[in-house]
C-alpha cells in the first residue's frame, strides 16, 4: 500500500512582513513533517530590515522591491499600492503557474491583498486578513469593501485573532471565520533582561483599533 504524500503548505504574503514570517515559522514548528514555503513578491525594500534568513524556504512571484521607494513615506505607501494593482495581471500569471507545479499544496494567503490575488487567480486558499482590513478600511471605501467581501467569500476558510473581526466578517460577508489566537512568544521575551524605552513606545497602539481604553 503506497504512503500518502502530505501536502506542502504555502504561505502567500510579503516576506518582509513579520506577521507572515512569524506565521510561517510557527507552522514549521507545529508541523515538522510538512514542507512549509513562503511565496512572496516582497523581500527587502523601503528601509525595512531583511527578516528572512538562509534557512527559510522562500519562493517568488514577481518581486517588486526594486520598483519601490528607498524609504517609507506616505507617497511611498501610495505608490506601492498603485504599483501592486497595476501589476496584478502579472502576479496572477506567476501564481497560476506556481499552482500548476504545486497542485497538491495548501495555500494560506495573508493579508487581504494576497487573498484578493487568490480570488482573481481562482485558486483554493485559506485567508487571514489583518485588523484594519476588516474593522476600518471597508468603511472608508465602498470599492475596497466590495473586493474585500469577494475575497472573503472566495476563501475555503478564514482565520482571525479577535471576536470583533469574526463578528464583522459575518456581518459584512456572511462568512464564518475561525478565531486563532497565537499569543506571545514568552521564550523570546525572557532573553530581554532590560529594554531601553522612549516616552512613546508605539504610536499605533494609541489608535482606537487597539482598544486601549477597554
Amino acid at each position: 500500500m503506497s504512503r500518502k504524500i502530505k501536502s506542502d503548505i504555502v504561505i502567500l504574503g510579503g516576506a518582509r512582513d513579520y506577521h507572515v514570517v512569524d506565521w510561517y515559522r510557527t507552522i514549521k514548528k507545529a508541523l515538522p513533517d510538512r514542507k512549509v514555503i513562503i511565496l512572496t513578491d516582497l523581500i527587502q525594500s523601503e528601509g525595512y530590515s531583511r527578516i528572512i534568513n538562509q534557512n527559510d524556504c522562500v519562493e517568488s512571484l514577481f518581486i517588486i522591491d526594486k520598483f519601490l521607494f528607498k524609504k517609507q513615506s506616505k507617497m511611498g505607501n501610495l505608490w506601492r499600492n498603485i504599483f501592486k494593482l497595476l501589476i496584478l495581471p502579472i502576479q496572477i500569471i506567476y501564481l497560476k503557474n506556481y499552482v500548476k507545479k504545486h497542485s497538491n499544496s495548501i495555500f494560506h494567503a495573508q493579508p487581504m491583498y494576497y487573498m484578493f490575488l487568490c480570488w482573481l487567480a481562482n485558486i483554493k486558499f485559506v485567508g487571514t486578513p489583518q485588523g484594519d482590513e476588516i474593522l476600518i478600511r471597508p468603511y472608508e471605501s465602498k470599492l475596497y469593501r466590495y473586493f474585500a467581501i469577494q475575497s472573503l467569500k472566495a476563501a475555503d476558510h478564514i482565520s482571525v485573532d479577535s471576536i470583533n473581526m469574526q463578528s464583522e466578517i459575518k456581518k459584512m460577508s456572511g462568512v464564518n471565520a475561525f478565531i486563532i489566537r497565537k499569543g506571545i512568544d514568552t521564550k523570546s521575551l525572557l532573553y530581554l533582561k532590560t529594554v531601553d524605552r522612549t516616552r512613546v513606545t508605539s504610536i499605533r497602539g494609541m489608535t482606537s483599533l487597539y482598544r486601549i481604553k477597554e
Side-chain angles (χ1 to χ4, degrees):
M1 186 175 179
S2 62
R3 185 179 178 184
K4 187 177 181 181
I5 298 174
K6 294 184 177 179
S7 301
D8 294 343
I9 299 173
V10 179
I11 309 299
L12 177 60
R16 70 179 202 185
D17 183 342
Y18 74 91
H19 294 98
V20 172
V21 175
D22 183 48
W23 193 270
Y24 158 77
R25 291 179 179 155
T26 299
I27 292 176
K28 279 188 70 175
K29 288 179 183 178
L31 301 172
D33 60 334
R34 297 286 189 95
K35 184 176 182 181
V36 187
I37 302 158
I38 297 178
L39 181 59
T40 189
D41 61 343
L42 286 164
I43 294 176
Q44 185 178 10
S45 54
E46 297 180 295
Y48 284 85
S49 299
R50 188 184 182 96
I51 57 176
I52 55 172
N53 58 50
Q54 59 184 4
N55 296 319
D56 295 323
C57 184
V58 180
E59 299 189 20
S60 302
L61 297 174
F62 178 74
I63 300 299
I64 67 171
D65 290 328
K66 66 181 180 181
F67 299 97
L68 305 180
F69 286 21
K70 291 183 178 180
K71 294 183 180 179
Q72 299 173 55
S73 65
K74 287 184 178 180
M75 185 62 70
N77 289 336
L78 178 61
W79 166 244
R80 184 192 336 107
N81 291 333
I82 292 172
F83 186 73
K84 290 179 82 168
L85 288 174
L86 289 174
I87 64 163
L88 263 174
I90 297 173
Q91 298 294 25
I92 290 169
I93 292 169
Y94 270 68
L95 180 55
K96 283 188 171 183
N97 287 338
Y98 186 90
V99 173
K100 285 180 183 178
K101 297 175 183 177
H102 304 81
S103 58
N104 193 43
S105 299
I106 297 169
F107 289 84
H108 185 167
Q110 57 175 302
M112 186 63 78
Y113 170 80
Y114 300 95
M115 294 170 56
F116 178 53
L117 180 58
C118 287
W119 168 52
L120 292 178
N122 194 30
I123 70 169
K124 294 170 68 67
F125 71 99
V126 176
T128 300
Q130 292 181 354
D132 63 337
E133 295 175 331
I134 300 299
L135 302 176
I136 296 177
R137 293 185 199 175
Y139 294 96
E140 295 178 337
S141 166
K142 290 182 179 179
L143 185 62
Y144 177 91
R145 184 181 183 88
Y146 170 78
F147 286 119
I149 289 171
Q150 300 310 311
S151 301
L152 290 166
K153 287 182 174 180
D156 284 359
H157 301 286
I158 296 291
S159 73
V160 295
D161 61 4
S162 74
I163 293 174
N164 279 2
M165 288 182 69
Q166 183 188 50
S167 61
E168 190 61 39
I169 286 173
K170 180 66 175 178
K171 182 172 70 175
M172 184 167 66
S173 66
V175 173
N176 293 311
F178 295 92
I179 296 178
I180 301 177
R181 290 193 173 101
K182 289 173 58 186
I184 299 171
D185 184 355
T186 54
K187 288 184 180 179
S188 296
L189 289 175
L190 289 173
Y191 286 106
L192 302 174
K193 304 255 176 153
T194 58
V195 178
D196 293 330
R197 289 174 178 259
T198 55
R199 290 186 179 183
V200 178
T201 59
S202 174
I203 295 174
R204 288 182 71 206
M206 296 167 67
T207 62
S208 60
L209 175 64
Y210 293 88
R211 302 171 63 207
I212 298 301
K213 291 181 179 179
E214 288 85 346

Short mmCIF file of all heavy atoms in Angstrom, two decimals, residues 16 18 27-28 54 70 73 75-76 84 96 107 115-116 120 126 149 151 153 160 168 182 191 203 212:
data_model
loop_
_atom_site.label_atom_id
_atom_site.label_comp_id
_atom_site.label_asym_id
_atom_site.label_seq_id
_atom_site.Cartn_x
_atom_site.Cartn_y
_atom_site.Cartn_z
N ARG A 16 8.73 40.42 3.97
CA ARG A 16 9.27 41.45 4.87
C ARG A 16 8.24 41.78 5.97
O ARG A 16 8.49 42.62 6.81
CB ARG A 16 9.64 42.70 4.10
CG ARG A 16 8.47 43.46 3.55
CD ARG A 16 8.87 44.72 2.81
NE ARG A 16 7.75 45.64 2.78
CZ ARG A 16 7.76 46.79 2.12
NH1 ARG A 16 8.82 47.16 1.43
NH2 ARG A 16 6.70 47.59 2.15
N TYR A 18 6.46 40.85 9.26
CA TYR A 18 6.76 39.96 10.38
C TYR A 18 5.56 39.08 10.76
O TYR A 18 5.75 37.98 11.27
CB TYR A 18 7.25 40.75 11.60
CG TYR A 18 6.20 41.52 12.34
CD1 TYR A 18 5.50 40.94 13.40
CD2 TYR A 18 5.91 42.84 12.02
CE1 TYR A 18 4.53 41.66 14.09
CE2 TYR A 18 4.94 43.56 12.70
CZ TYR A 18 4.27 42.96 13.74
OH TYR A 18 3.30 43.66 14.41
N ILE A 27 4.10 27.60 11.93
CA ILE A 27 3.60 26.40 11.27
C ILE A 27 4.71 25.37 11.10
O ILE A 27 4.49 24.16 11.25
CB ILE A 27 2.96 26.77 9.91
CG1 ILE A 27 1.68 27.58 10.14
CG2 ILE A 27 2.64 25.51 9.10
CD1 ILE A 27 1.03 28.08 8.88
N LYS A 28 5.93 25.84 10.79
CA LYS A 28 7.07 24.92 10.65
C LYS A 28 7.31 24.15 11.94
O LYS A 28 7.60 22.95 11.92
CB LYS A 28 8.33 25.69 10.26
CG LYS A 28 8.44 26.01 8.79
CD LYS A 28 9.79 26.59 8.44
CE LYS A 28 10.88 25.55 8.57
NZ LYS A 28 12.19 26.08 8.11
N GLN A 54 18.69 32.36 5.50
CA GLN A 54 19.04 31.31 4.54
C GLN A 54 18.38 29.97 4.86
O GLN A 54 18.31 29.08 4.01
CB GLN A 54 20.56 31.12 4.49
CG GLN A 54 21.19 30.74 5.82
CD GLN A 54 22.71 30.67 5.75
OE1 GLN A 54 23.29 30.98 4.70
NE2 GLN A 54 23.33 30.25 6.83
N LYS A 70 13.05 54.10 -1.67
CA LYS A 70 14.13 53.62 -0.81
C LYS A 70 13.77 53.68 0.67
O LYS A 70 14.30 52.93 1.48
CB LYS A 70 15.40 54.43 -1.06
CG LYS A 70 16.01 54.17 -2.44
CD LYS A 70 17.30 54.93 -2.62
CE LYS A 70 17.91 54.63 -3.99
NZ LYS A 70 19.19 55.38 -4.18
N SER A 73 7.33 56.24 3.36
CA SER A 73 6.71 57.56 3.36
C SER A 73 5.27 57.42 2.90
O SER A 73 4.87 56.37 2.37
CB SER A 73 7.46 58.50 2.40
OG SER A 73 7.33 58.05 1.06
N MET A 75 3.91 58.99 0.41
CA MET A 75 3.97 58.88 -1.05
C MET A 75 4.43 57.48 -1.46
O MET A 75 3.92 56.91 -2.43
CB MET A 75 4.93 59.93 -1.62
CG MET A 75 4.95 59.96 -3.15
SD MET A 75 3.35 60.40 -3.87
CE MET A 75 3.25 62.13 -3.40
N GLY A 76 5.37 56.93 -0.68
CA GLY A 76 5.85 55.57 -0.97
C GLY A 76 4.76 54.53 -0.78
O GLY A 76 4.65 53.59 -1.57
N LYS A 84 1.22 47.75 -7.12
CA LYS A 84 0.76 46.37 -6.91
C LYS A 84 -0.55 46.10 -7.66
O LYS A 84 -0.79 44.99 -8.14
CB LYS A 84 0.60 46.07 -5.41
CG LYS A 84 1.94 46.00 -4.68
CD LYS A 84 1.77 45.74 -3.19
CE LYS A 84 1.58 44.28 -2.90
NZ LYS A 84 1.69 43.95 -1.48
N LYS A 96 -0.67 31.43 -10.90
CA LYS A 96 -1.28 30.28 -11.59
C LYS A 96 -0.23 29.28 -12.04
O LYS A 96 -0.42 28.06 -11.94
CB LYS A 96 -2.10 30.76 -12.78
CG LYS A 96 -3.44 31.37 -12.40
CD LYS A 96 -4.28 31.64 -13.63
CE LYS A 96 -5.71 32.03 -13.25
NZ LYS A 96 -6.57 32.23 -14.43
N PHE A 107 -2.69 26.54 0.19
CA PHE A 107 -2.28 27.94 0.11
C PHE A 107 -2.95 28.75 1.21
O PHE A 107 -4.17 28.71 1.36
CB PHE A 107 -2.61 28.51 -1.27
CG PHE A 107 -1.75 27.96 -2.36
CD1 PHE A 107 -2.05 26.76 -2.97
CD2 PHE A 107 -0.60 28.63 -2.76
CE1 PHE A 107 -1.25 26.24 -3.97
CE2 PHE A 107 0.22 28.13 -3.76
CZ PHE A 107 -0.11 26.92 -4.37
N MET A 115 -5.15 37.57 -0.47
CA MET A 115 -6.44 36.90 -0.61
C MET A 115 -7.12 37.36 -1.89
O MET A 115 -7.70 36.54 -2.62
CB MET A 115 -7.31 37.23 0.61
CG MET A 115 -6.79 36.66 1.92
SD MET A 115 -7.68 37.31 3.37
CE MET A 115 -9.38 36.89 2.98
N PHE A 116 -7.05 38.65 -2.17
CA PHE A 116 -7.60 39.22 -3.39
C PHE A 116 -6.94 38.59 -4.62
O PHE A 116 -7.60 38.23 -5.60
CB PHE A 116 -7.37 40.74 -3.36
CG PHE A 116 -7.83 41.49 -4.56
CD1 PHE A 116 -9.12 41.37 -5.04
CD2 PHE A 116 -6.96 42.36 -5.22
CE1 PHE A 116 -9.55 42.10 -6.16
CE2 PHE A 116 -7.37 43.08 -6.32
CZ PHE A 116 -8.67 42.94 -6.80
N LEU A 120 -8.73 36.34 -7.63
CA LEU A 120 -8.62 36.65 -9.05
C LEU A 120 -7.98 35.49 -9.83
O LEU A 120 -8.32 35.25 -10.99
CB LEU A 120 -7.78 37.92 -9.25
CG LEU A 120 -8.42 39.23 -8.77
CD1 LEU A 120 -7.47 40.39 -9.00
CD2 LEU A 120 -9.75 39.49 -9.47
N VAL A 126 -6.80 29.41 2.07
CA VAL A 126 -7.20 29.83 3.41
C VAL A 126 -6.74 31.28 3.55
O VAL A 126 -5.65 31.64 3.09
CB VAL A 126 -6.53 28.97 4.49
CG1 VAL A 126 -6.87 29.49 5.89
CG2 VAL A 126 -6.94 27.51 4.33
N ILE A 149 -15.17 41.74 0.41
CA ILE A 149 -16.26 40.76 0.55
C ILE A 149 -16.06 39.61 -0.43
O ILE A 149 -16.20 38.43 -0.07
CB ILE A 149 -17.63 41.44 0.34
CG1 ILE A 149 -17.96 42.36 1.52
CG2 ILE A 149 -18.73 40.39 0.17
CD1 ILE A 149 -19.18 43.23 1.31
N SER A 151 -13.27 38.57 -1.75
CA SER A 151 -12.11 37.79 -1.34
C SER A 151 -12.43 36.89 -0.15
O SER A 151 -11.99 35.73 -0.08
CB SER A 151 -10.95 38.73 -0.99
OG SER A 151 -10.60 39.53 -2.10
N LYS A 153 -15.42 35.69 0.63
CA LYS A 153 -16.31 34.63 0.17
C LYS A 153 -15.58 33.57 -0.65
O LYS A 153 -15.99 32.40 -0.70
CB LYS A 153 -17.44 35.24 -0.67
CG LYS A 153 -18.48 36.00 0.13
CD LYS A 153 -19.59 36.52 -0.77
CE LYS A 153 -20.71 37.17 0.03
NZ LYS A 153 -21.81 37.68 -0.83
N VAL A 160 -9.03 34.54 12.00
CA VAL A 160 -8.82 35.87 12.58
C VAL A 160 -8.36 35.70 14.02
O VAL A 160 -8.36 34.58 14.55
CB VAL A 160 -10.11 36.72 12.53
CG1 VAL A 160 -10.50 37.02 11.09
CG2 VAL A 160 -11.26 36.03 13.25
N GLU A 168 -17.53 41.04 12.58
CA GLU A 168 -17.60 41.99 11.47
C GLU A 168 -17.57 41.27 10.13
O GLU A 168 -18.29 41.66 9.19
CB GLU A 168 -16.42 42.97 11.56
CG GLU A 168 -16.53 44.15 10.61
CD GLU A 168 -17.75 45.01 10.86
OE1 GLU A 168 -18.11 45.22 12.03
OE2 GLU A 168 -18.36 45.47 9.86
N LYS A 182 -2.67 33.28 18.62
CA LYS A 182 -1.35 32.68 18.74
C LYS A 182 -0.67 33.02 20.07
O LYS A 182 0.22 32.32 20.51
CB LYS A 182 -0.46 33.17 17.59
CG LYS A 182 -0.84 32.60 16.25
CD LYS A 182 -0.05 33.23 15.13
CE LYS A 182 1.43 33.06 15.34
NZ LYS A 182 2.21 33.79 14.33
N TYR A 191 14.66 36.42 27.12
CA TYR A 191 16.05 36.75 26.85
C TYR A 191 16.32 38.23 27.01
O TYR A 191 17.47 38.65 27.13
CB TYR A 191 16.43 36.32 25.42
CG TYR A 191 16.59 34.83 25.28
CD1 TYR A 191 15.63 34.07 24.62
CD2 TYR A 191 17.70 34.16 25.79
CE1 TYR A 191 15.76 32.70 24.48
CE2 TYR A 191 17.84 32.79 25.67
CZ TYR A 191 16.88 32.06 25.00
OH TYR A 191 17.01 30.70 24.86
N ILE A 203 3.10 54.53 18.54
CA ILE A 203 2.04 55.45 18.13
C ILE A 203 0.82 54.67 17.66
O ILE A 203 -0.32 55.04 17.92
CB ILE A 203 2.55 56.38 17.02
CG1 ILE A 203 3.66 57.27 17.58
CG2 ILE A 203 1.43 57.22 16.44
CD1 ILE A 203 4.34 58.14 16.57
N ILE A 212 -7.29 50.58 23.63
CA ILE A 212 -6.50 50.82 24.84
C ILE A 212 -7.43 51.07 26.06
O ILE A 212 -7.17 50.59 27.17
CB ILE A 212 -5.55 52.01 24.66
CG1 ILE A 212 -4.56 51.71 23.51
CG2 ILE A 212 -4.81 52.32 25.95
CD1 ILE A 212 -3.73 50.48 23.72
#
